[in-house]
Protein backbone atom coordinates (compact mmCIF):
# COMPACT_ATOMS: atom_id res chain seq x y z
CA UNK A 1 0.00 0.00 0.00
CA UNK A 2 1.15 3.50 -0.85
CA UNK A 3 -0.36 5.96 1.60
CA UNK A 4 0.05 9.68 0.97
CA UNK A 5 -1.15 12.18 3.56
CA UNK A 6 -1.29 15.96 3.16
CA UNK A 7 1.45 16.03 0.51
CA UNK A 8 2.42 19.61 -0.28
CA UNK A 9 5.10 21.21 -2.42
CA UNK A 10 5.74 24.95 -2.57
CA UNK A 11 8.41 26.42 -4.84
CA UNK A 12 9.70 29.77 -3.62
CA UNK A 13 11.16 32.44 -5.85
CA UNK A 14 12.45 35.86 -4.91
CA UNK A 15 9.06 37.44 -5.57
CA UNK A 16 6.47 34.77 -4.79
CA UNK A 17 5.60 31.24 -3.75
CA UNK A 18 4.08 28.71 -6.15
CA UNK A 19 2.12 25.75 -4.82
CA UNK A 20 2.72 22.88 -7.26
CA UNK A 21 1.11 20.15 -5.13
CA UNK A 22 -1.56 21.21 -2.69
CA UNK A 23 -2.04 18.90 0.34
CA UNK A 24 -2.87 15.70 -1.55
CA UNK A 25 -4.12 12.68 0.38
CA UNK A 26 -4.30 9.40 -1.53
CA UNK A 27 -4.10 5.62 -1.02
CA UNK A 28 -2.93 3.25 -3.77
CA UNK A 29 -3.33 -0.51 -3.15
CA UNK A 30 -0.52 -2.95 -3.89
CA UNK A 31 -0.41 -4.37 -7.40
CA UNK A 32 -2.60 -1.68 -8.96
CA UNK A 33 -1.94 0.35 -12.10
CA UNK A 34 -2.96 3.79 -10.90
CA UNK A 35 -3.22 6.69 -13.33
CA UNK A 36 -2.73 10.38 -12.59
CA UNK A 37 -3.92 12.63 -15.41
CA UNK A 38 -3.76 16.38 -15.83
CA UNK A 39 -2.91 19.10 -18.29
CA UNK A 40 0.47 20.82 -18.38
CA UNK A 41 1.05 22.70 -15.13
CA UNK A 42 -1.41 20.62 -13.11
CA UNK A 43 1.37 19.42 -10.78
CA UNK A 44 1.35 15.74 -11.76
CA UNK A 45 5.06 15.42 -12.59
CA UNK A 46 6.02 17.19 -9.38
CA UNK A 47 3.67 14.85 -7.52
CA UNK A 48 5.32 11.69 -8.87
CA UNK A 49 8.82 13.05 -8.19
CA UNK A 50 7.82 13.68 -4.58
CA UNK A 51 7.04 9.99 -4.12
CA UNK A 52 10.71 8.99 -4.42
CA UNK A 53 11.94 12.37 -3.14
CA UNK A 54 13.54 13.53 -6.35
CA UNK A 55 11.68 16.60 -5.13
CA UNK A 56 11.57 17.24 -1.39
CA UNK A 57 8.05 17.75 0.03
CA UNK A 58 7.27 20.97 1.83
CA UNK A 59 4.77 19.12 4.05
CA UNK A 60 3.07 15.75 4.29
CA UNK A 61 4.04 12.08 4.51
CA UNK A 62 4.54 9.23 2.05
CA UNK A 63 4.42 5.63 3.25
CA UNK A 64 5.36 2.77 0.94
CA UNK A 65 4.93 -0.73 2.37
CA UNK A 66 4.88 0.71 5.92
CA UNK A 67 8.09 2.68 5.40
CA UNK A 68 7.80 6.43 5.75
CA UNK A 69 9.82 7.74 2.81
CA UNK A 70 9.60 11.35 3.98
CA UNK A 71 11.46 10.66 7.23
CA UNK A 72 14.44 8.76 5.76
CA UNK A 73 17.99 10.07 5.90
CA UNK A 74 19.87 10.49 2.61
CA UNK A 75 21.66 7.18 3.16
CA UNK A 76 18.42 5.37 3.99
CA UNK A 77 16.72 6.99 0.98
CA UNK A 78 19.39 5.65 -1.40
CA UNK A 79 18.56 2.14 -0.23
CA UNK A 80 14.79 2.72 -0.33
CA UNK A 81 14.98 4.03 -3.91
CA UNK A 82 16.17 0.61 -5.05
CA UNK A 83 12.58 -0.51 -4.49
CA UNK A 84 11.11 2.44 -6.42
CA UNK A 85 11.85 2.26 -10.15
CA UNK A 86 11.20 5.21 -12.43
CA UNK A 87 10.90 5.71 -16.19
CA UNK A 88 10.89 9.06 -17.96
CA UNK A 89 9.41 10.72 -21.03
CA UNK A 90 12.80 11.26 -22.69
CA UNK A 91 14.34 7.94 -21.57
CA UNK A 92 17.38 9.42 -19.69
CA UNK A 93 19.73 6.74 -21.05
CA UNK A 94 23.52 6.90 -20.87
CA UNK A 95 24.46 7.44 -24.51
CA UNK A 96 28.00 6.09 -24.15
CA UNK A 97 26.72 2.76 -22.78
CA UNK A 98 25.19 -0.18 -24.63
CA UNK A 99 21.74 -1.56 -23.88
CA UNK A 100 23.07 -4.16 -21.46
CA UNK A 101 25.37 -1.65 -19.76
CA UNK A 102 22.53 0.85 -19.31
CA UNK A 103 20.42 -1.84 -17.67
CA UNK A 104 23.34 -2.96 -15.51
CA UNK A 105 24.06 0.56 -14.22
CA UNK A 106 21.75 0.53 -11.15
CA UNK A 107 23.04 -2.94 -10.27
CA UNK A 108 26.60 -1.63 -10.35
CA UNK A 109 25.63 1.20 -8.01
CA UNK A 110 23.97 -1.31 -5.67
CA UNK A 111 27.17 -3.38 -5.59
CA UNK A 112 25.69 -6.50 -7.19
CA UNK A 113 28.40 -9.07 -8.11
CA UNK A 114 29.14 -9.31 -11.85
CA UNK A 115 27.86 -12.85 -12.34
CA UNK A 116 24.51 -12.04 -10.71
CA UNK A 117 24.42 -8.73 -12.53
CA UNK A 118 24.92 -10.34 -15.94
CA UNK A 119 22.21 -12.92 -15.23
CA UNK A 120 19.73 -10.26 -14.12
CA UNK A 121 20.46 -8.07 -17.15
CA UNK A 122 19.76 -10.95 -19.54
CA UNK A 123 16.50 -11.73 -17.73
CA UNK A 124 15.40 -8.12 -18.17
CA UNK A 125 16.44 -7.96 -21.81
CA UNK A 126 14.27 -11.01 -22.49
CA UNK A 127 11.40 -9.58 -20.41
CA UNK A 128 11.19 -6.30 -22.34
CA UNK A 129 11.71 -7.87 -25.77
CA UNK A 130 15.20 -6.60 -26.63
CA UNK A 131 16.95 -9.90 -27.29
CA UNK A 132 19.55 -9.39 -29.99
CA UNK A 133 19.99 -5.68 -29.20
CA UNK A 134 22.17 -6.13 -26.10
CA UNK A 135 25.23 -4.47 -27.62
CA UNK A 136 23.44 -1.62 -29.42
CA UNK A 137 23.88 1.98 -28.29
CA UNK A 138 20.90 4.31 -27.66
CA UNK A 139 21.59 6.18 -30.93
CA UNK A 140 20.95 2.92 -32.78
CA UNK A 141 17.54 2.33 -31.18
CA UNK A 142 14.01 3.47 -31.99
CA UNK A 143 12.01 5.47 -29.46
CA UNK A 144 10.10 2.38 -28.34
CA UNK A 145 13.32 0.39 -27.92
CA UNK A 146 14.86 3.20 -25.86
CA UNK A 147 11.85 3.19 -23.56
CA UNK A 148 12.13 -0.60 -23.21
CA UNK A 149 15.70 -0.10 -22.05
CA UNK A 150 14.43 2.50 -19.58
CA UNK A 151 11.83 0.06 -18.27
CA UNK A 152 14.36 -2.75 -17.93
CA UNK A 153 16.76 -0.44 -16.08
CA UNK A 154 13.97 0.66 -13.72
CA UNK A 155 13.23 -3.00 -12.92
CA UNK A 156 16.87 -3.98 -12.33
CA UNK A 157 16.69 -4.00 -8.51
CA UNK A 158 13.30 -5.76 -8.32
CA UNK A 159 11.33 -2.69 -7.19
CA UNK A 160 7.95 -2.85 -5.50
CA UNK A 161 6.78 0.34 -7.22
CA UNK A 162 7.28 1.63 -10.77
CA UNK A 163 6.79 5.36 -11.40
CA UNK A 164 6.09 6.34 -15.01
CA UNK A 165 6.35 10.06 -15.78
CA UNK A 166 4.78 10.64 -19.22
CA UNK A 167 6.47 7.42 -20.35
CA UNK A 168 4.69 7.30 -23.71
CA UNK A 169 4.38 11.00 -24.58
CA UNK A 170 7.38 10.98 -26.93
CA UNK A 171 6.15 7.90 -28.83
CA UNK A 172 3.88 7.38 -31.82
CA UNK A 173 0.45 5.73 -31.22
CA UNK A 174 1.48 2.21 -32.30
CA UNK A 175 4.63 2.26 -30.17
CA UNK A 176 2.65 3.73 -27.28
CA UNK A 177 0.28 0.76 -27.37
CA UNK A 178 3.17 -1.71 -27.40
CA UNK A 179 4.75 -0.04 -24.35
CA UNK A 180 1.40 0.00 -22.53
CA UNK A 181 0.96 -3.71 -23.28
CA UNK A 182 4.43 -4.31 -21.86
CA UNK A 183 3.57 -2.43 -18.65
CA UNK A 184 0.41 -4.52 -18.22
CA UNK A 185 2.44 -7.69 -18.74
CA UNK A 186 5.03 -6.57 -16.18
CA UNK A 187 2.29 -5.65 -13.69
CA UNK A 188 0.66 -9.07 -14.05
CA UNK A 189 3.90 -11.07 -13.99
CA UNK A 190 5.68 -9.25 -11.20
CA UNK A 191 2.73 -7.90 -9.22
CA UNK A 192 4.38 -4.53 -8.75
CA UNK A 193 2.43 -1.31 -8.27
CA UNK A 194 2.57 1.12 -11.19
CA UNK A 195 1.81 4.84 -10.93
CA UNK A 196 1.32 6.28 -14.40
CA UNK A 197 1.49 10.04 -15.04
CA UNK A 198 -0.02 11.21 -18.32
CA UNK A 199 -2.08 13.86 -20.10
CA UNK A 200 -3.67 11.29 -22.45
CA UNK A 201 -6.97 9.65 -21.53
CA UNK A 202 -6.27 6.88 -24.05
CA UNK A 203 -3.41 5.74 -21.82
CA UNK A 204 -5.62 5.76 -18.71
CA UNK A 205 -8.43 3.93 -20.51
CA UNK A 206 -6.18 1.18 -21.81
CA UNK A 207 -4.31 -0.01 -18.71
CA UNK A 208 -5.28 1.74 -15.47
CA UNK A 209 -7.49 0.33 -12.70
CA UNK A 210 -8.17 3.70 -11.11
CA UNK A 211 -7.42 7.31 -11.95
CA UNK A 212 -6.93 10.62 -10.17
CA UNK A 213 -7.49 13.87 -12.08
CA UNK A 214 -5.20 16.75 -11.14
CA UNK A 215 -5.78 20.45 -11.65
CA UNK A 216 -3.89 23.35 -10.06
CA UNK A 217 -2.00 21.02 -7.72
CA UNK A 218 -5.16 19.34 -6.40
CA UNK A 219 -6.82 16.00 -7.05
CA UNK A 220 -10.24 17.19 -8.17
CA UNK A 221 -11.71 13.77 -8.97
CA UNK A 222 -10.72 10.12 -8.57
CA UNK A 223 -12.23 6.69 -8.92
CA UNK A 224 -12.47 3.53 -10.95
CA UNK A 225 -11.63 4.31 -14.59
CA UNK A 226 -14.94 2.96 -15.91
CA UNK A 227 -16.91 4.99 -13.34
CA UNK A 228 -15.02 8.15 -14.32
CA UNK A 229 -15.83 7.50 -17.98
CA UNK A 230 -19.49 6.95 -17.14
CA UNK A 231 -20.05 9.97 -14.91
CA UNK A 232 -17.26 12.54 -15.03
CA UNK A 233 -18.01 15.21 -12.44
CA UNK A 234 -15.53 18.02 -13.05
CA UNK A 235 -15.19 20.10 -16.24
CA UNK A 236 -11.54 19.06 -16.64
CA UNK A 237 -12.49 15.39 -16.34
CA UNK A 238 -15.20 15.79 -18.96
CA UNK A 239 -12.60 17.24 -21.34
CA UNK A 240 -10.36 14.24 -20.83
CA UNK A 241 -13.22 11.79 -21.42
CA UNK A 242 -14.04 13.66 -24.63
CA UNK A 243 -10.52 12.84 -25.86
CA UNK A 244 -11.74 9.26 -26.22
CA UNK A 245 -15.53 9.45 -26.51
CA UNK A 246 -16.00 12.71 -28.39
CA UNK A 247 -17.93 15.78 -27.28
CA UNK A 248 -21.62 15.63 -26.42
CA UNK A 249 -21.84 19.12 -27.91
CA UNK A 250 -21.82 17.35 -31.27
CA UNK A 251 -25.47 16.50 -30.58
CA UNK A 252 -26.37 20.14 -31.10
CA UNK A 253 -25.73 19.59 -34.79
CA UNK A 254 -28.44 16.92 -34.98
CA UNK A 255 -31.69 18.37 -36.29
CA UNK A 256 -35.32 17.31 -36.05
CA UNK A 257 -36.46 19.73 -38.76
CA UNK A 258 -37.56 16.92 -41.09
CA UNK A 259 -39.56 14.99 -38.48
CA UNK A 260 -42.76 15.80 -36.62
CA UNK A 261 -42.73 12.78 -34.35
CA UNK A 262 -39.72 11.35 -32.65
CA UNK A 263 -37.24 11.39 -29.83
CA UNK A 264 -33.51 11.97 -29.91
CA UNK A 265 -31.90 9.82 -27.23
CA UNK A 266 -28.41 8.79 -26.15
CA UNK A 267 -27.95 5.21 -25.01
CA UNK A 268 -25.18 4.44 -22.52
CA UNK A 269 -23.84 0.90 -22.69
CA UNK A 270 -21.70 -0.52 -19.89
CA UNK A 271 -19.97 -3.90 -19.66
CA UNK A 272 -22.06 -6.75 -21.01
CA UNK A 273 -24.82 -4.39 -22.11
CA UNK A 274 -22.54 -3.29 -24.96
CA UNK A 275 -23.18 -6.67 -26.56
CA UNK A 276 -26.99 -6.46 -26.42
CA UNK A 277 -28.84 -6.33 -29.76
CA UNK A 278 -31.06 -3.50 -28.52
CA UNK A 279 -31.86 -1.80 -31.83
CA UNK A 280 -32.99 -5.08 -33.36
CA UNK A 281 -35.15 -5.90 -30.32
CA UNK A 282 -37.06 -2.62 -30.14
CA UNK A 283 -37.55 -2.51 -33.93
CA UNK A 284 -39.23 -5.93 -33.77
CA UNK A 285 -41.19 -5.35 -30.57
CA UNK A 286 -42.50 -1.82 -31.20
CA UNK A 287 -43.86 0.02 -34.21
CA UNK A 288 -41.01 2.47 -34.37
CA UNK A 289 -38.31 3.45 -36.84
CA UNK A 290 -34.80 3.75 -35.42
CA UNK A 291 -32.15 5.89 -37.12
CA UNK A 292 -28.61 5.52 -35.79
CA UNK A 293 -26.99 8.96 -35.88
CA UNK A 294 -23.63 8.51 -34.16
CA UNK A 295 -21.92 6.25 -31.69
CA UNK A 296 -18.70 5.31 -29.96
CA UNK A 297 -17.55 2.34 -27.91
CA UNK A 298 -14.30 1.95 -26.01
CA UNK A 299 -12.66 -0.56 -23.70
CA UNK A 300 -11.39 -0.04 -20.17
CA UNK A 301 -9.70 -2.66 -18.00
CA UNK A 302 -13.00 -3.27 -16.21
CA UNK A 303 -15.17 -3.54 -19.31
CA UNK A 304 -16.72 -1.78 -22.27
CA UNK A 305 -18.33 1.62 -22.27
CA UNK A 306 -20.13 3.14 -25.21
CA UNK A 307 -22.70 5.68 -26.28
CA UNK A 308 -25.10 5.53 -29.21
CA UNK A 309 -27.20 8.48 -30.31
CA UNK A 310 -30.39 7.42 -32.10
CA UNK A 311 -33.57 8.98 -33.42
CA UNK A 312 -36.75 7.01 -32.71
CA UNK A 313 -39.75 7.86 -34.87
CA UNK A 314 -43.35 6.82 -34.33
CA UNK A 315 -46.52 7.49 -32.40
CA UNK A 316 -45.77 9.46 -29.18
CA UNK A 317 -47.43 6.80 -27.00
CA UNK A 318 -45.35 4.04 -28.58
CA UNK A 319 -42.21 6.14 -28.21
CA UNK A 320 -42.86 6.46 -24.47
CA UNK A 321 -43.43 2.71 -24.21
CA UNK A 322 -40.16 2.05 -26.06
CA UNK A 323 -38.13 4.28 -23.76
CA UNK A 324 -39.84 2.78 -20.71
CA UNK A 325 -38.96 -0.71 -21.96
CA UNK A 326 -35.27 0.21 -22.36
CA UNK A 327 -35.18 1.74 -18.87
CA UNK A 328 -36.94 -1.13 -17.11
CA UNK A 329 -36.03 -4.25 -19.06
CA UNK A 330 -32.39 -3.66 -19.98
CA UNK A 331 -29.22 -2.51 -18.23
CA UNK A 332 -28.79 0.30 -20.76
CA UNK A 333 -29.16 3.87 -19.51
CA UNK A 334 -31.33 6.20 -21.59
CA UNK A 335 -30.71 9.94 -21.82
CA UNK A 336 -33.37 11.94 -23.67
CA UNK A 337 -31.63 14.70 -25.59
CA UNK A 338 -34.52 16.24 -27.50
CA UNK A 339 -38.31 15.78 -27.51
CA UNK A 340 -40.44 16.07 -30.63
CA UNK A 341 -42.18 19.41 -31.13
Amino acid sequence: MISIKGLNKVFKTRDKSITAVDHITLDIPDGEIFGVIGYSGAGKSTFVRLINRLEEPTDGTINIDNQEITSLTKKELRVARQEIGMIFQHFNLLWSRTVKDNIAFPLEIAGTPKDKRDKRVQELIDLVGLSGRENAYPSQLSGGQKQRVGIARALANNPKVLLCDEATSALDPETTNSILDLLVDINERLGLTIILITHEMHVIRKICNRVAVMENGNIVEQGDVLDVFLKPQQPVTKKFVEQVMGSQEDDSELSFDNYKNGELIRLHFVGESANQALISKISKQFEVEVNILQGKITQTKRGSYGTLTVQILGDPKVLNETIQYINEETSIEVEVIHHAN
Side-chain angles (χ1 to χ4, degrees), residues 210-273:
R210 291 192 301 136
V211 62
V213 182
M214 284 194 70
E215 187 175 33
N216 297 324
N218 295 283
I219 291 179
V220 296
E221 188 167 351
Q222 64 173 299
D224 181 276
V225 170
L226 183 56
D227 292 338
V228 170
F229 264 87
L230 283 171
K231 303 220 180 264
Q233 300 298 311
Q234 300 297 321
V236 64
T237 312
K238 292 176 182 178
K239 288 181 181 178
F240 280 121
V241 172
E242 286 171 5
Q243 287 183 4
V244 177
M245 299 304 298
S247 173
Q248 293 185 4
E249 293 177 0
D250 295 342
D251 293 330
S252 62
E253 300 175 4
L254 302 174
S255 174
F256 264 61
D257 292 344
N258 297 324
Y259 301 92
K260 293 183 178 180
N261 297 313
E263 297 280 356
L264 183 65
I265 64 174
R266 184 184 297 115
L267 305 171
H268 296 268
F269 301 82
V270 184
E272 291 301 317
S273 70

Side-chain angles (χ1 to χ4, degrees), residues 119-340:
K119 181 181 178 182
R120 179 61 177 158
V121 168
Q122 191 57 53
E123 289 173 353
L124 291 165
I125 286 172
D126 294 339
L127 176 66
V128 301
L130 286 174
S131 298
R133 303 295 285 164
E134 295 92 334
N135 297 311
Y137 287 89
S139 62
Q140 299 170 311
L141 302 176
S142 67
Q145 289 172 330
K146 291 172 189 173
Q147 195 57 283
R148 288 172 185 268
V149 177
I151 292 170
R153 181 184 58 187
L155 297 175
N157 284 308
N158 293 299
K160 296 176 182 176
V161 179
L162 180 61
L163 308 178
C164 305
D165 188 9
E166 296 280 11
T168 61
S169 295
L171 306 175
D172 62 75
E174 184 176 350
T175 306
T176 291
N177 284 333
S178 70
I179 293 297
L180 295 178
D181 289 340
L182 175 60
L183 290 175
V184 171
D185 183 56
I186 289 168
N187 169 257
E188 292 174 350
R189 285 198 201 188
L190 307 180
L192 80 170
T193 306
I194 297 177
I195 300 177
L196 191 70
I197 304 299
T198 185
H199 64 274
E200 299 172 299
M201 200 62 175
H202 160 73
V203 172
I204 299 294
R205 171 195 66 80
K206 186 172 175 66
I207 72 168
C208 293
N209 304 100
R210 291 192 301 136
V211 62
V213 182
M214 284 194 70
E215 187 175 33
N216 297 324
N218 295 283
I219 291 179
V220 296
E221 188 167 351
Q222 64 173 299
D224 181 276
V225 170
L226 183 56
D227 292 338
V228 170
F229 264 87
L230 283 171
K231 303 220 180 264
Q233 300 298 311
Q234 300 297 321
V236 64
T237 312
K238 292 176 182 178
K239 288 181 181 178
F240 280 121
V241 172
E242 286 171 5
Q243 287 183 4
V244 177
M245 299 304 298
S247 173
Q248 293 185 4
E249 293 177 0
D250 295 342
D251 293 330
S252 62
E253 300 175 4
L254 302 174
S255 174
F256 264 61
D257 292 344
N258 297 324
Y259 301 92
K260 293 183 178 180
N261 297 313
E263 297 280 356
L264 183 65
I265 64 174
R266 184 184 297 115
L267 305 171
H268 296 268
F269 301 82
V270 184
E272 291 301 317
S273 70
N275 299 319
Q276 294 182 24
L278 178 69
I279 304 302
S280 176
K281 284 182 180 179
I282 61 176
S283 296
K284 291 176 181 177
Q285 191 163 339
F286 300 93
E287 291 186 7
V288 294
E289 178 184 345
V290 182
N291 296 322
I292 298 175
L293 303 178
Q294 60 188 28
K296 180 82 172 182
I297 190 166
T298 191
Q299 297 288 330
T300 71
K301 284 198 76 177
R302 214 187 81 190
S304 304
Y305 166 59
T307 61
L308 187 66
T309 303
V310 299
Q311 195 172 49
I312 306 180
L313 305 172
D315 181 87
K317 181 180 179 182
V318 178
L319 292 179
N320 288 334
E321 291 174 354
T322 304
I323 293 173
Q324 184 177 359
Y325 166 80
I326 299 172
N327 276 323
E328 296 179 357
E329 303 298 330
T330 76
S331 57
I332 296 167
E333 181 182 333
V334 181
E335 177 186 355
V336 177
I337 301 171
H338 182 80
H339 287 286

Side-chain angles (χ1 to χ4, degrees), residues 10-79:
V10 179
F11 292 101
K12 294 185 178 181
T13 66
R14 182 179 300 177
D15 301 322
K16 60 181 178 179
S17 297
I18 300 171
T19 300
V21 173
D22 193 0
H23 296 95
I24 286 177
T25 295
L26 183 67
D27 289 329
I28 301 172
D30 291 337
E32 184 167 278
I33 302 180
F34 188 91
V36 179
I37 191 168
Y39 289 111
S40 179
K44 58 190 186 298
S45 289
T46 301
F47 167 71
V48 78
R49 291 169 64 86
L50 290 170
I51 293 176
N52 60 0
R53 281 178 59 187
L54 287 178
E55 293 284 356
E56 287 293 337
T58 304
D59 294 297
T61 60
I62 302 164
N63 277 273
I64 300 177
D65 198 23
N66 295 319
Q67 182 179 47
E68 188 176 328
I69 301 298
T70 38
S71 66
L72 299 180
T73 65
K74 289 184 178 180
K75 182 178 180 180
E76 292 169 335
L77 181 60
R78 282 194 294 270
V79 175

